Amino acid sequence: MSDLQPSVEFEDQVRQAVRPPDADPEFVRRLRAELASRPARSHPRFALRPAWAFIAIMAVVIAAASLPGVAQAVRQWFAFVPGIGLVQPNAPARMLDVPAAVTRDGITLTVEHLLVYADRTELAYRVEGLAPAPAVSGGEVCSGAEMYPRLRLPDGSVLAADPMGLGGARKVSGYTAGHSFSSGIPAGVSRLTFELTCLQDAPRGAAPEEWSLELRLVAIPEGTQVGQPLTGAETAAVEQQAGTGINFDFLGGARQEDGYHFFFRFSAQDSHPDFLAARPRSMYLLDSSGARIELINARPWSPFDRVDVWEYRAVLPPASGEMTLVVDGAELFYLGQHASFVFAPGAGAPVGQTWEIGQRFNIGGRDFLVERAEKIALEGREGFQFTVAAGSAQEEISVDLIDMHSAPEYSVWSTTGDSGLAQRVTAGFVYEGGVPETLTVTFNTVSVAADGTWRLRWSAPETP
Amino acid sequence: MLEVSELKAQPGFSSEQLSHLAVDAKSDPAAFGRLYNQMVQPVYRYIRSRVSSPHEAEDLTSQTFIAVLEGLHAYRERGYFSAWLFRIARSKVMDHYRRSRVELPLEAVEDHVGLDDALNGVVRSDQLERLARLIRARSEDERELIRLRYVADLSYAEIAQVLGKREGAVKKTMYRLLASIKSQME
């Protein structure tokens, strides 16, 4: 192959021959401004498109849910499709006629769900019989684009899965995976082929590759419920925590192999312009045997996400019978980017040097005092960490500090410091390639603990 | 709301750094700004090389970055961010042609636009003109390889992830392709 390696000069010629001009700087500026004005999206599976339809539906939901007798009906609008998440039962236009499976060398791949919407397609598949990957693998493993499925249409065109999985889980001898495709499937196409180069994280060559499965789509028959209905909301009794302005609205649960998934709204009434989101501080269930089982968020999340319905799952299957779900406190997140300060550590400060800051900021109606700075080193990179105290001794906070403004030669890397809530916390960042002598430190987000307990008594449906 | 920092000439981030930056960008608007500043021109150039007008390229570039912004929360740090990004860009281009397929089949459309139209107005030597013609005469798969390598400036490893192929196979195909084109030039 080395004999064929092109010369640098020839590669330059090819580059010149094919390279179009750069984008107009004015377009680049406009697009940057447009992106800056858009909120980050949280949950694409549930942000039903088109957007106006979703907004209209949710407006009706929120208004109607407050009426007696209507809330239960509203809950039945949602169903759970393993691997895909929460769906509206009537929203997809077509689905698989039957799950399709193929077995090769003892490994079975089953495409369990394919939901076709007007503007997107969602798919979930399962792999069973796959030998556990060795803890240490010296060879190449299936990763990146190769582990994303494709849908080949009869005309030869191929839909590649969006490189953002919908969900999925590792199993002892396989895995489940959900994927979305950023377009629907033309109405006239009812047969298509699922293709997969290799199985997720499998050492290359150790398991069959180049998987292919024929799929057939059918219109969703009238009256067919897509997905697993959420259950138990009818019998659930919620004890709200008065005085917090936060409402816990339980939509139901869905039994899964790994326990239950629970769906709920956690709505905070906070009119402060800095307010971003509220989430449970911690959540657990007490099952009928008295065991306490932690509940964890089943989806990736950041404070910039706007979650309508939260999905939490039990880390262990609970005993059958009545259980109590407990939300133990809340965490309220606020945008802090209007609050920043200039910090000038100068050149050559050693790691461990400290500076007194003593600057106070108001974010989300709360006071935050930046007490001091310290030069730190983390994994070979140097940076700064700041001690921030809540405005009152009773308050617990967390902060995320960033340097948004340093010259580009100072690449800012991951934030450091405490991740939990406390009256006094540290937060900071490190730099790649040197530390600036003067920097502007900005509060990205802050969060504040809110006391309160929300309880829900719930009886799990009998195991079939 | 996301805040994107002012556009500055960015230092060249490595593929690994870009992937780390993408993870940070999930909750860090400044990191998203850096990603945008780093990637907007390669994405635009790649799309521009596949469509017939700057207006279409701007529209599809906008769609690509909006999709990135909306999907970033679910980005997993497995593989290259640039590969993830360019798969979205390719998907947007394919959607664009799929919508307009009633007028011309995809292959026919691409034969008439892309690398050719994108270079209108660029004064080049006869040798570069000849090279461009030879590249236009190659198959779509081969032209795509060239776009990803020399327009989008992706590494062979990144191209492999975009196309779902092995890095070695991509490199071998590219070397053979360039050797073939070079021999035609001589």
Side-chain angles (χ1 to χ4, degrees):
Chain A
M1 190 160 55
S2 58
D3 291 345
L4 293 173
Q5 185 166 350
S7 66
V8 172
E9 293 75 21
F10 186 62
E11 284 196 293
D12 281 345
Q13 283 188 333
V14 172
R15 193 171 283 112
Q16 289 177 53
V18 300
R19 201 168 178 109
D22 278 351
D24 179 349
E26 175 57 20
F27 160 71
V28 173
R29 190 198 60 74
R30 271 191 286 109
L31 177 56
R32 187 175 59 241
E34 182 184 345
L35 294 169
S37 69
R38 296 176 77 94
R41 267 254 302 276
S42 59
H43 211 288
R45 295 167 300 286
F46 197 62
L48 302 174
R49 288 170 249 183
W52 62 265
F54 175 66
I55 292 166
I57 289 167
M58 293 320 299
V60 172
V61 167
I62 292 165
S66 61
L67 301 174
V70 178
Q72 295 304 326
V74 167
R75 290 176 179 122
Q76 291 168 16
W77 288 9
F78 305 113
F80 178 65
V81 177
I84 290 178
L86 210 55
V87 300
Q88 268 199 304
N90 298 321
R94 289 188 293 165
M95 59 189 287
L96 280 183
D97 60 344
V98 290
V102 62
T103 299
R104 296 167 61 193
D105 295 353
I107 299 171
T108 300
L109 188 157
T110 306
V111 177
E112 298 182 306
H113 302 280
L114 184 67
L115 302 179
V116 181
Y117 297 78
D119 62 348
R120 72 185 191 281
T121 302
E122 295 177 342
L123 173 148
Y125 73 95
R126 168 187 298 270
V127 172
E128 293 167 301
L130 183 63
V136 178
S137 171
E140 185 186 357
V141 299
C142 177
S143 62
E146 294 186 322
M147 68 180 191
Y148 295 119
R150 305 176 296 276
L151 294 174
R152 185 174 295 279
L153 307 187
D155 66 357
S157 59
V158 174
L159 304 183
D162 299 338
M164 37 191 171
L166 290 175
R170 305 299 304 179
K171 307 290 179 186
V172 174
S173 59
Y175 65 91
T176 60
H179 291 274
S180 63
F181 299 77
S182 59
S183 69
I185 291 173
V189 173
S190 61
R191 291 180 184 276
L192 64 162
T193 307
F194 168 93
E195 296 178 346
L196 183 66
T197 300
C198 53
L199 304 176
Q200 277 188 20
D201 297 329
R204 298 305 302 263
E209 299 188 349
E210 303 300 340
W211 293 78
S212 177
L213 263 166
E214 299 301 315
L215 307 177
R216 198 167 84 89
L217 289 169
V218 294
I220 295 177
E222 192 172 343
T224 299
Q225 164 95 37
V226 175
Q228 181 180 346
L230 303 186
T231 57
E234 310 75 28
T235 57
V238 180
E239 293 173 25
Q240 302 286 354
Q241 174 69 52
T244 60
I246 298 174
N247 195 60
F248 179 85
D249 182 23
F250 185 65
L251 298 178
R255 183 188 290 277
Q256 290 296 288
E257 294 166 356
D258 56 354
Y260 276 94
H261 288 227
F262 299 101
F263 299 87
F264 60 90
R265 291 198 176 93
F266 199 63
S267 316
Q269 303 300 316
D270 190 328
S271 59
H272 197 285
D274 294 341
F275 179 68
L276 289 171
R279 72 169 178 186
R281 181 173 179 181
S282 102
M283 195 167 174
Y284 59 91
L285 68 79
L286 300 170
D287 73 8
S288 56
S289 72
R292 172 178 165 145
I293 297 172
E294 188 186 0
L295 302 179
I296 58 173
N297 188 8
R299 304 286 174 188
W301 182 79
S302 90
F304 293 97
D305 291 345
R306 292 179 179 175
V307 175
D308 176 55
V309 177
W310 292 88
E311 178 183 346
Y312 271 56
R313 67 178 178 84
V315 297
L316 293 170
S320 60
E322 186 176 84
M323 62 185 78
T324 303
L325 273 63
V326 180
V327 176
D328 188 10
E331 190 171 3
L332 307 174
F333 289 82
Y334 298 88
L335 183 68
Q337 292 175 4
H338 54 79
S340 60
F341 60 96
V342 174
F343 172 54
V351 170
Q353 180 169 334
T354 60
W355 296 261
E356 295 303 314
I357 304 289
Q359 289 208 41
R360 193 175 293 274
F361 299 90
N362 188 280
I363 303 167
R366 269 89 169 184
D367 282 339
F368 295 81
L369 174 63
V370 182
E371 295 179 333
R372 62 201 286 266
E374 178 183 357
K375 186 152 185 199
I376 58 167
L378 181 71
E379 295 175 355
R381 301 184 179 101
E382 293 187 344
F384 301 98
Q385 189 160 277
F386 301 85
T387 302
V388 183
S392 80
Q394 288 74 43
E395 243 176 8
E396 290 182 295
I397 59 169
S398 76
V399 300
D400 176 22
L401 298 176
I402 54 173
D403 172 2
M404 295 178 69
H405 302 288
S406 279
E409 60 266 31
Y410 303 109
S411 299
V412 186
W413 291 114
S414 58
T415 55
T416 64
D418 304 325
S419 56
L421 289 154
Q423 198 274 329
R424 179 175 279 99
V425 295
T426 59
F429 38 79
V430 293
Y431 295 87
E432 177 83 16
V435 174
E437 294 180 22
T438 301
L439 55 143
T440 301
V441 182
T442 303
F443 284 82
N444 191 23
T445 61
V446 301
S447 71
V448 179
D451 290 335
T453 305
W454 293 259
R455 289 178 188 276
L456 167 74
R457 289 194 309 281
W458 186 62
S459 293
E462 291 300 317
T463 305
Chain B
M1 305 287 266
L2 285 171
E3 184 169 320
V4 181
S5 59
E6 283 302 300
L7 178 65
K8 299 167 182 172
Q10 294 291 299
F13 289 114
S14 69
S15 298
E16 188 185 30
Q17 287 172 330
L18 276 176
S19 297
H20 289 314
L21 200 54
V23 172
D24 288 349
K26 293 179 182 185
S27 58
D28 180 348
F32 185 83
R34 291 190 188 91
L35 272 183
Y36 173 83
N37 292 347
Q38 178 76 15
M39 301 306 293
V40 64
Q41 291 292 5
V43 167
Y44 173 85
R45 283 197 304 266
Y46 167 77
I47 292 174
R48 180 68 186 91
S49 74
R50 298 197 60 174
V51 299
S52 60
S53 73
H55 175 74
E56 286 173 291
E58 289 180 358
D59 183 36
L60 293 174
T61 302
S62 300
Q63 290 182 34
T64 298
F65 276 98
I66 289 168
V68 168
L69 181 61
E70 293 182 342
L72 197 58
H73 71 281
Y75 168 73
R76 294 183 297 174
E77 196 181 9
R78 302 167 81 168
Y80 298 110
F81 171 76
S82 48
W84 184 79
L85 172 63
F86 275 91
R87 292 190 70 205
I88 294 174
R90 293 181 85 219
S91 164
K92 295 298 176 189
V93 173
M94 293 301 291
D95 285 349
H96 173 70
Y97 281 123
R98 197 174 288 121
R99 285 195 298 272
S100 57
R101 189 182 292 175
V102 288
E103 297 174 11
L104 276 175
L106 179 59
E107 289 301 320
V109 172
E110 292 199 335
D111 283 344
H112 286 83
V113 297
L115 294 176
D116 193 12
D117 285 8
L119 293 169
N120 280 346
V122 179
V123 177
R124 297 179 298 170
S125 69
D126 289 346
Q127 189 179 18
L128 284 185
E129 283 292 354
R130 186 157 170 251
L131 183 54
R133 279 200 303 276
L134 289 172
I135 291 170
R136 282 199 300 274
R138 309 304 298 207
S139 71
E140 167 52 23
D141 285 350
E142 291 171 332
R143 280 181 286 155
E144 179 67 353
L145 208 52
I146 289 174
R147 287 187 203 106
L148 292 172
R149 177 68 177 162
Y150 298 108
V151 176
D153 289 331
L154 297 187
S155 68
Y156 287 113
E158 290 168 327
I159 295 170
Q161 286 205 350
V162 172
L163 300 177
K165 295 179 178 175
R166 292 170 191 268
E167 180 183 350
V170 169
K171 191 181 286 186
K172 189 183 291 185
T173 304
M174 179 66 93
Y175 284 7
R176 287 184 172 154
L177 170 61
L178 293 185
S180 168
I181 292 171
K182 193 174 183 189
S183 72
Q184 287 180 286
M185 291 281 289
E186 292 166 352

